[in-house]
Amino acid sequence: GGSAYTSGARASTTVLNTLLAGSAGGLGWLACAAMSSCHRHGMLHLTATFHLMGGAVGGLCAATPSSGYVTPSGSLLVGMGAGVLCYYADHKFMSRCLVPRGIDDVVSVFPVHGVGGLWGTLATGLLAVERVGGVKGAIQGNWKQVGIQAASMLVVCLWTTVGTTLITFFVSRITKLRASHQEELTGLDTRPH
């Protein structure tokens, strides 16, 4: 955490915030899973582990933009928000919006990394504290920072959409992008890819 050239209070706060956000993200996702249909049927240990780890990664993704600018209590909010948002993105958005269009994300990359990172970027604008990172956020009356963060999110989303579309187009001209149904049933560990 922090710069490789310095260590001190800011680097220590960044490391602490990263750990707190990851932990809070794991607990947020796990809490959502426990309150959903899982509580009626019980939650297997493996399922609970997946929920805890998915939320932890979402919290860490949210910590990436925010950990050097928010307080430890703000980092808990960032992580908890990431856990909850990533859970709903994975369990609601994916199944209702993307899967019906033939877009699958079997390891939940977008709901965890994408949603977590976007939330962390926006939360930085909301919760940034001047004494921590030198920038005031909305919590200190600087709502302009929320707009700056939102604009940066838009630029990143446009950049990644255009870049991914171009890469996908060119790769699809060279090779197929999806394994066959039989290869999926057999398992991709046995197929060179």
Side-chain angles (χ1 to χ4, degrees):
S3 171
Y5 299 111
T6 64
S7 64
R10 186 165 186 196
S12 298
T13 301
T14 301
V15 170
L16 176 63
N17 284 345
T18 301
L19 294 170
L20 289 173
S23 300
L27 292 175
W29 185 313
L30 186 61
C32 288
M35 289 185 287
S36 72
S37 62
C38 293
H39 79 280
R40 285 184 233 137
H41 310 292
M43 188 182 303
L44 299 173
H45 295 296
L46 182 61
T47 305
T49 302
F50 169 79
H51 290 305
L52 187 63
M53 292 302 104
V57 173
L60 291 171
C61 291
T64 300
S66 67
S67 64
Y69 298 93
V70 301
T71 62
S73 58
S75 190
L76 287 170
L77 292 173
V78 170
M80 185 64 73
V84 171
L85 290 171
C86 292
Y87 173 83
Y88 283 105
D90 188 48
H91 288 80
K92 305 297 181 201
F93 176 74
M94 292 296 291
S95 62
R96 291 183 184 161
C97 298
L98 298 183
V99 172
R101 290 172 177 76
I103 301 170
D104 62 348
D105 185 356
V106 295
V107 292
S108 302
V109 173
F110 174 74
V112 175
H113 293 82
V115 172
L118 289 171
W119 162 246
T121 301
L122 187 62
T124 302
L126 293 168
L127 300 171
V129 174
E130 187 173 28
R131 70 177 161 76
V132 175
V135 177
K136 290 180 182 179
I139 197 169
Q140 290 184 313
N142 183 14
W143 285 92
K144 182 179 177 184
Q145 190 63 39
V146 176
I148 292 169
Q149 298 299 112
S152 71
M153 290 166 49
L154 180 64
V155 168
V156 168
C157 288
L158 288 173
W159 176 260
T160 56
T161 300
V162 169
T164 301
T165 301
L166 289 172
I167 290 168
T168 302
F169 174 78
F170 288 115
V171 170
S172 70
R173 299 294 179 236
I174 298 167
T175 187
K176 62 182 182 172
L177 294 174
R178 184 165 180 110
S180 70
H181 181 68
Q182 184 59 41
E183 290 169 331
E184 287 182 2
L185 291 175
T186 304
L188 294 179
D189 292 336
T190 61
R191 177 187 178 269
H193 59 285

